[in-house]
């Protein structure tokens, strides 16, 4: 295997049968590789030892409130898009212990967790998900404070992106400028190409680390025809994406239409179950929970994902600030699409469509936003 | 009387009132002084006066058998005390007591009513000012009764 | 330098040096700070951890010049604060902080200062008074209006009485209801407004209390000619982390724990009193 080393931004071709080598190199570099695997009828992210752990030959069908995995007639490795889980499962675990404490005489001692975090390789991250990670990077590293756990895990993680070739019915990344093709934030980006004769990947080195990994696998140079094929696939993916979110006047949702009747309407359907916040790859809200042993001699503090859809979320002595369902849906949507911008300089939505797919009643953020962006009587909004 | 007019003029309650109307008011005005602790009136008394407080502090109280006198409100310079003289049965509903040495101008309620009936311009001016006062007091009372500093606000 | 949440989430264990009951439901804790000392700016808060019960944000009520003590005045409203009320001297409590924005006292040198406190809102304003009274010549006229439920609920009563004796501080206390013998005012804090004299061009107002009380106070101040950029308010929301990461305290685009609790009114006018925001 005498090849020229791959450099940053280089593109190379890797045959389907050689893809395992990437996993092998990552393992030898000490990464624990996580990728899409099938568990109990859905695609989740889990440990990936071989390429055969991937959902080979599976595709998904997604719509508001519905998700189905389906066998396809092609042996693609990445013929589906995103499932309920996102990489935040690893970067920002749903529960984590912050410290333990023991009673000592009149007082107590606090023992901080000294976690050892594994170096993860996220294999098969979609463009929207990478955007979500970059958004959470800003959240957990705000103007005043940094989150130790998140930043430790993040610093060590390696990202292998996969460019989407077939969007799901709930995807709208194109209108959020976050996909379907990965443009930044990855170490390696793969485009899966399957013709009658060949099954191969174009791999792009997005970082020096990525280039180093690619240099150690079997590849051949990319040809003009390969590139044309990839371009066709990327363009087709873009064309197939039917769902859109009009982002031209999102600010009006908060500033002008805070009392829009649609909030009330949607709250009639919303179960305030919080599914959308759990599956959202950018949602970061959490609660701090103190637990104490019954004998009172031992206590722990945990951090747990929380949802703005609960009444408790805004509770201060005397009652909840957001008591109505309407106000809680409004908080979530306006946070994603309006106030997030002021907080973090970016929208809080990447167009992955999870909140639409996993909403038990199929509430669609793109539809709700487009109704609320307009003045209630159909009068065009003031700009 | 001139002195009374001047005092009326300076009192915020009559701010901007036409001088000729102030003249009428001054005709039924007289100075009053109350010692600390002295009752200005008691519940059930004839309500025959409005008092414009110039100096001091007055409390409006209600008497409850087991709890003694409960202070509902305190009034100070610039405030008006008493509006029961405006409507029948012209009886005081609360106790009013000076808690500091208090100086006030008392306006004769009966005369004022009669003058207001004769001169609707005066009547309108008076009612405008008194109704504003009543509204302000009502608004303040509403805030007072919701236990704003309590646990449930 | 940015602090790390890892360290910030773990409370420092502080010993209670003094416990003073202020009223039937309010008490003051005086804590000895951790080894490295403790400094804060008026208006900031700490997250106080009651072992085995939970953690709550509590404003600091001590003198900012005194780095040898951490002082909190707490009204027992919930499970954690009620349990804290049973604490005793030499027991310990967890402290994280100080967090949040502060009253901009350094920027207000030379100005007349109006402080309006409602209920426990007096606690986060007391450090301002400490600072001003230690630097009295640097400020113009200083006026404190303090509203409470009843005379028995008044906090810092002795201190307020001694402040009342000062010639360089105007002070008015009012309660919602009182029995005979109370010589102060009765009526909501807004009823004091018409009687006070302000120079609207040179006054800065700091308000701390229930939102309704601040709302009506703002209306009175507006009548007196104060602009929104002369009025500071302190907001309260659910806080879990204290550092703008947990999301609970959001008020529109702001995180009250990090961008507040002290806000210049003109910056949050569009958010203030917005229902269920």
């Amino acid at each position: 295997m005498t090849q020229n080393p791959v450099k940053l931004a280089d593109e190379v071709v890797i045959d389907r049968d050689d893809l395992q080598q990437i996993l092998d190199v990552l393992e030898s570099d000490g990464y624990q590789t996580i990728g899409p695997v099938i568990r109990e009828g859905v695609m989740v992210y889990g440990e990936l030892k071989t390429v055969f752990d991937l959902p080979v030959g599976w595709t998904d069908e997604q719509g508001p409130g519905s998700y189905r995995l389906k066998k396809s007639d092609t042996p693609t490795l990445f013929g589906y898009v995103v499932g309920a889980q996102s990489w935040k499962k690893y970067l920002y675990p749903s529960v984590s212990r912050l410290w333990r404490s023991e009673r000592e005489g009149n007082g107590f001692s606090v023992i901080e967790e000294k976690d050892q975090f594994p170096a993860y390789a996220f294999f098969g991250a979609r463009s929207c998900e990478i955007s979500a990670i970059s958004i959470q990077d800003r959240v957990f590293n705000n103007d005043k404070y940094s989150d130790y756990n998140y930043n430790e895990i993040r610093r060590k993680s390696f990202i292998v992106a996969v460019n989407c070739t077939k969007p799901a019915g709930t995807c709208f990344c194109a209108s959020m400028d976050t996909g379907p093709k990965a443009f930044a934030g990855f170490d390696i980006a793969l485009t899966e190409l399957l013709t009658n004769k060949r099954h191969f990947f174009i791999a792009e080195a997005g970082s020096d680390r990525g280039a180093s990994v690619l240099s150690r696998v079997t590849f051949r140079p990319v040809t003009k025809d390969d590139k044309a094929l990839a371009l066709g696939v990327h363009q087709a993916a873009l064309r197939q994406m039917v769902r859109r979110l009009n982002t031209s006047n999102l600010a009006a949702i908060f500033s002008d239409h805070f009392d829009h009747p649609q909030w009330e309407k949607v709250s009639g359907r919303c179960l305030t179950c919080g599914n959308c916040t759990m599956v959202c790859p950018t949602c970061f809200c959490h609660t701090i929970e103190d637990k104490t042993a019954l004998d009172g001699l031992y206590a722990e503090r945990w951090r747990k994902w929380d949802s703005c859809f609960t009444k408790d979320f805004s509770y201060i002595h005397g009652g909840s600030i957001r008591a109505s369902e309407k106000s809680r849906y409004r908080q979530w949507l306006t946070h994603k699409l309006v106030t997030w911008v002021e907080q973090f300089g970016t929208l809080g939505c990447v167009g992955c469509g999870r909140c639409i797919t996993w909403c038990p009643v199929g509430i669609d953020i793109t539809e709700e936003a487009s109704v609320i962006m307009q003045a209630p009587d159909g009068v065009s909004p003031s700009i | 009387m001139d002195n009374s007019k001047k005092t009326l003029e300076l009192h915020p309650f009559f701010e901007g009132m036409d001088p000729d109307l102030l003249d009428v008011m001054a005709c039924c005005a007289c100075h009053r002084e109350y010692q600390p602790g002295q009752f200005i009136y008691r519940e059930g008394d004839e309500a025959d006066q409005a008092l414009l407080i110039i100096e001091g502090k007055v409390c409006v109280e209600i008497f409850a058998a087991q709890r003694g006198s409960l202070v509902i409100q305190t009034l100070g310079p610039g405030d008006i005390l008493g509006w029961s003289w405006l409507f029948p049965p012209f009886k005081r509903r609360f106790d009013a007591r000076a808690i500091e040495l208090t100086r006030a101008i008392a306006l004769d309620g009966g005369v004022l009513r009669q003058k207001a009936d004769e001169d609707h311009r005066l009547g309108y001016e008076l009612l405008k000012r008194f109704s504003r006062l009543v509204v302000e007091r009502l608004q303040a009372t509403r805030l007072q009764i919701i236990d704003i500093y309590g646990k449930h606000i | 330098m940015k602090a790390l949440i890892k360290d910030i989430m773990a409370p420092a264990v502080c010993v209670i040096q003094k416990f003073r009951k202020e009223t039937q439901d309010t008490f003051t804790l005086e804590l000895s700070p951790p080894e490295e000392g403790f400094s804060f700016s008026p208006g900031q808060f700490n997250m106080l951890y009651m072992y085995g019960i939970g953690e709550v944000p509590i404003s600091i009520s001590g003198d900012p010049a005194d780095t040898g003590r951490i002082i909190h005045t707490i009204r027992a409203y919930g499970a954690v604060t009620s349990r804290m009320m049973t604490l005793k001297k030499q027991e310990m409590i967890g402290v994280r902080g100080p967090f949040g924005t502060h009253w901009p006292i350094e920027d207000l040198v030379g100005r007349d200062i109006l402080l309006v406190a409602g209920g426990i809102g007096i606690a986060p304003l007391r450090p301002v008074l400490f600072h001003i009274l230690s630097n009295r010549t640097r400020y113009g006229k200083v006026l404190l209006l303090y509203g409470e439920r009843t005379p028995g609920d008044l906090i810092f009563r002795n201190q307020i009485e001694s402040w009342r004796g000062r010639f360089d501080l105007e002070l008015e206390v009012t309660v919602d209801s009182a029995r005979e013998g109370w010589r102060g005012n009765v009526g909501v804090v807004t009823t004091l407004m018409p009687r006070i004299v302000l120079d609207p061009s040179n006054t800065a107002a700091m308000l701390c209390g229930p939102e309704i009380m601040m709302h009506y106070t703002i209306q009175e101040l507006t009548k007196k000619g104060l602009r929104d950029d002369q009025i500071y308010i302190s907001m309260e929301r659910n806080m879990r982390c204290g550092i703008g990461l947990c999301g609970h305290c959001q008020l529109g685009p702001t995180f009250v724990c990090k961008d507040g609790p002290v806000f210049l009114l003109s910056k949050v006018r569009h958010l203030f009193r917005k229902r269920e925001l």
Side-chain angles (χ1 to χ4, degrees):
Chain A
M1 203 160 66
T2 52
Q3 309 171 123
N4 290 325
V6 177
K7 297 187 300 297
L8 182 65
D10 279 357
E11 285 184 319
V12 295
V13 168
I14 298 170
D15 276 329
R16 153 74 180 79
D17 294 339
D18 295 327
L19 193 68
Q20 177 65 36
Q21 292 179 24
I22 295 188
L23 296 182
D24 296 341
V25 171
L26 287 171
E27 191 181 355
S28 71
D29 281 359
Y31 288 105
Q32 183 183 333
T33 302
I34 308 293
V37 292
I38 292 179
R39 298 263 191 281
E40 293 169 4
V42 289
M43 191 274 282
V44 298
Y45 291 140
E47 201 168 346
L48 207 60
K49 285 288 183 200
T50 80
V51 167
F52 297 104
D53 294 335
L54 290 165
V56 181
W58 286 93
T59 185
D60 56 6
E61 273 179 358
Q62 300 193 36
S66 95
Y67 178 92
R68 289 288 176 277
L69 272 184
K70 236 180 52 173
K71 262 292 180 195
S72 75
D73 43 13
T74 54
T76 47
L77 304 186
F78 299 101
Y80 42 87
V81 288
V82 294
Q85 297 184 345
S86 63
W87 307 100
K88 83 174 179 185
K89 174 182 165 187
Y90 294 95
L91 289 163
Y92 160 51
S94 57
V95 290
S96 59
R97 189 167 58 194
L98 297 172
W99 47 258
R100 292 170 295 134
S101 164
E102 274 167 28
R103 203 91 170 103
E104 283 175 1
N106 270 343
F108 54 94
S109 62
V110 176
I111 310 126
E112 284 179 59
E113 289 290 318
K114 294 283 177 212
D115 298 320
Q116 292 300 314
F117 300 107
Y120 292 116
F122 299 134
F123 195 86
R126 305 304 174 123
S127 182
C128 61
E129 300 188 292
I130 295 171
S131 293
I133 292 172
S134 78
I135 288 172
Q136 286 210 328
D137 286 349
R138 299 186 195 204
V139 171
F140 289 111
N141 200 12
N142 70 29
D143 52 347
K144 286 185 183 146
Y145 307 101
S146 294
D147 181 288
Y148 177 83
N149 288 17
Y150 180 91
N151 287 288
E152 272 301 292
I153 302 170
R154 179 74 177 95
R155 189 174 57 79
K156 292 182 182 174
S157 59
F158 187 101
I159 293 178
V160 180
V162 165
N163 291 319
C164 289
T165 52
K166 187 177 114 355
T170 46
C171 291
F172 57 102
C173 63
S175 44
M176 308 310 286
D177 289 327
T178 61
K181 187 175 182 296
F183 49 90
F186 53 82
D187 296 293
I188 296 172
L190 301 172
T191 302
E192 182 173 28
L193 296 165
L194 183 68
T195 68
N196 290 337
K197 296 178 193 141
R198 296 163 57 209
H199 188 181
F200 65 101
F201 294 85
I202 292 181
E204 180 189 347
S207 71
D208 291 332
R209 284 195 305 183
S212 154
V213 170
L214 289 177
S215 299
R216 287 176 280 158
V217 304
T218 308
F219 65 81
R220 65 171 172 77
V222 69
T223 67
K224 241 185 187 169
D225 287 351
D226 297 333
K227 284 192 178 179
L229 195 59
L231 184 65
V233 164
H234 294 146
Q235 285 175 339
L238 202 53
R239 268 198 314 276
Q240 287 171 48
M241 205 177 312
V242 286
R243 202 171 295 273
R244 301 199 61 77
L245 177 68
N246 175 6
T247 57
S248 62
N249 194 26
L250 289 174
I253 291 176
F254 185 80
S255 58
D256 302 343
H257 301 148
F258 193 78
D259 295 310
H260 198 291
Q262 186 66 18
W263 297 119
E264 194 70 56
K265 254 188 179 164
V266 68
S267 77
R269 298 170 63 208
C270 178
L271 309 174
T272 63
C273 68
N275 265 14
C276 47
T277 55
M278 297 295 114
V279 298
C280 178
T282 67
C283 271
F284 60 86
C285 289
H286 55 263
T287 187
I288 304 293
E289 225 173 67
D290 290 313
K291 296 183 178 174
T292 314
L294 282 176
D295 61 9
L297 298 177
Y298 176 78
E300 292 182 340
R301 174 164 297 172
W302 289 76
R303 177 166 89 177
K304 273 186 175 176
W305 288 0
D306 201 356
S307 172
C308 54
F309 279 93
T310 72
K311 217 170 167 178
D312 268 0
F313 190 84
S314 61
Y315 182 88
I316 47 176
H317 60 88
S320 291
I321 300 285
R322 289 185 283 275
S324 72
E325 290 83 7
K326 169 181 96 169
S327 68
R328 283 175 263 150
Y329 183 81
R330 182 173 58 200
Q331 165 62 22
W332 178 74
L333 188 139
T334 53
H335 189 208
K336 291 284 147 195
L337 298 181
V338 188
T339 54
W340 203 293
V341 179
E342 208 170 310
Q343 292 172 348
F344 304 109
T346 151
L347 288 173
C349 174
V350 295
C352 71
R354 284 182 177 90
C355 57
I356 307 172
T357 300
W358 298 97
C359 174
V361 296
I363 295 171
D364 179 346
I365 187 174
T366 65
E367 274 177 22
E368 298 307 321
S370 86
V371 172
I372 297 164
M373 247 185 287
Q374 306 300 317
D377 352 313
V379 183
S380 48
S382 54
I383 298 171
Chain B
M1 193 156 47
D2 273 343
N3 187 13
S4 292
K5 189 187 168 190
K6 192 140 201 105
T7 318
L8 289 179
E9 239 172 21
L10 290 173
H11 198 279
F13 187 73
F14 290 115
E15 194 187 328
M17 201 170 201
D18 280 352
D20 59 319
L21 296 181
L22 277 177
D23 283 334
V24 182
M25 312 281 302
C27 288
C28 57
C30 61
H31 285 276
R32 288 270 188 275
E33 201 173 285
Y34 303 95
Q35 296 304 311
Q38 183 185 348
F39 277 97
I40 299 170
Y41 54 73
R42 286 181 187 262
E43 184 186 342
D45 284 356
E46 202 71 31
D48 50 6
Q49 284 180 339
L51 285 131
L52 282 63
I53 302 169
I54 310 294
E55 197 186 309
K57 190 185 266 182
V58 174
C59 62
V60 181
E61 301 173 342
I62 186 161
F63 182 78
Q66 311 96 312
R67 295 163 69 191
S69 286
L70 305 177
V71 183
I72 295 159
Q73 189 183 27
T74 49
L75 300 171
D79 287 330
I80 292 268
L81 171 68
W83 53 52
S84 299
W85 58 271
L86 273 163
F87 308 103
F90 312 117
K91 298 278 186 208
R92 296 296 185 190
R93 295 298 179 96
F94 302 104
D95 296 341
R97 178 157 55 165
I99 40 182
E100 290 170 8
L101 177 68
T102 298
R103 289 196 311 112
I105 292 207
L107 301 171
D108 187 304
V111 178
L112 270 187
R113 284 200 305 271
Q114 190 197 333
K115 301 253 187 208
D117 278 340
E118 288 164 7
D119 179 355
H120 287 184
R121 197 164 62 94
L122 174 71
Y124 181 60
E125 272 298 326
L126 275 180
L127 277 184
K128 226 168 35 170
R129 285 158 199 270
F130 270 98
S131 37
R132 179 175 169 178
L133 179 71
V134 172
V135 167
E136 282 173 359
R137 294 266 173 95
L138 176 62
Q139 285 167 345
T141 306
R142 283 172 174 171
L143 288 180
Q144 215 170 330
I145 60 173
I146 57 171
D147 191 17
I148 206 168
Y149 311 118
K151 291 185 187 186
H152 302 293
I153 290 288
Chain C
M1 198 184 115
K2 283 193 191 181
L4 293 174
I5 183 186
K6 179 86 169 180
D7 310 322
I8 280 181
M9 292 312 292
V13 181
C14 296
V15 181
I16 296 166
Q17 295 300 345
K18 266 186 201 161
F19 178 100
R20 187 173 56 251
K21 202 165 173 201
E22 301 280 353
T23 69
Q24 51 152 354
D25 62 358
T26 308
F27 55 100
T28 296
L29 294 180
E30 199 176 303
L31 313 172
S32 53
E35 284 161 28
E36 61 271 25
F38 182 84
S39 57
F40 75 100
S41 300
Q44 287 193 296
F45 66 94
N46 282 327
M47 297 296 292
L48 296 189
Y49 170 61
M50 178 69 223
Y51 184 85
I53 310 285
E55 200 179 45
V56 283
I58 303 284
S59 64
I60 306 160
S61 65
D63 185 343
D66 178 0
T67 55
R69 293 182 296 173
I70 306 174
I71 298 178
H72 287 283
T73 303
I74 305 165
R75 187 155 277 181
Y77 273 140
V80 179
T81 48
S82 298
R83 176 67 184 79
M84 281 177 180
M85 199 155 163
T86 66
L87 282 166
K88 290 179 190 74
K89 191 175 162 176
Q90 291 309 317
E91 287 193 294
M92 297 185 202
I93 198 166
V95 178
R96 298 192 293 126
F99 297 129
T101 56
H102 56 270
W103 308 105
I105 42 174
E106 287 303 325
D107 304 338
L108 300 175
V109 168
R111 306 273 290 274
D112 291 347
I113 306 290
L114 169 68
L115 307 174
V116 187
I120 190 67
I122 187 76
L125 284 173
R126 191 170 72 149
V128 176
L129 268 176
F130 281 133
H131 177 86
I132 290 176
L133 295 179
S134 323
N135 299 272
R136 189 62 194 89
T137 53
R138 296 172 66 204
Y139 297 90
K141 194 172 126 179
V142 179
L143 174 58
L144 167 68
L145 308 180
Y146 171 28
E148 259 296 358
R149 299 157 92 185
T150 70
D153 291 309
L154 290 170
I155 312 168
F156 312 135
R157 210 168 161 158
N158 292 339
Q159 195 150 38
I160 285 168
E161 274 163 16
S162 79
W163 282 338
R164 196 193 282 288
R166 294 181 69 121
F167 294 108
D168 55 1
L169 173 67
E170 271 184 70
L171 198 154
E172 288 286 349
V173 176
T174 185
V175 296
D176 282 349
S177 62
R179 293 196 184 192
E180 199 178 338
W182 165 247
R183 294 178 52 84
N185 301 294
V186 177
V188 288
V189 81
T190 49
T191 57
L192 299 175
M193 287 292 172
R195 293 182 218 160
I196 63 168
V197 181
L198 295 178
D199 171 5
S201 65
N202 191 41
T203 298
M206 302 178 208
L207 279 43
C208 190
E211 271 181 50
I212 304 179
M213 165 251 156
M214 294 197 289
H215 173 61
Y216 287 102
T217 304
I218 290 165
Q219 290 186 355
E220 295 298 324
L221 292 177
T222 306
K223 276 190 213 163
K224 291 207 167 274
L226 259 70
R227 296 183 318 267
D228 287 356
D229 63 1
Q230 294 172 274
I231 302 172
Y232 298 86
I233 59 173
S234 181
M235 294 295 291
E236 185 183 11
R237 283 295 180 269
N238 187 352
M239 293 176 191
R240 296 289 166 92
C241 70
I243 54 179
L245 292 179
C246 81
H248 282 259
C249 67
Q250 285 177 84
L251 174 73
T254 69
F255 293 97
V256 173
C257 72
K258 170 175 77 77
D259 307 320
V262 175
F263 291 98
L264 182 61
L265 177 61
S266 55
K267 300 263 192 217
V268 291
R269 180 50 117 165
H270 59 301
L271 309 173
F272 186 64
R273 291 284 288 165
K274 209 159 185 161
R275 282 176 198 205
E276 295 194 292
L277 173 59

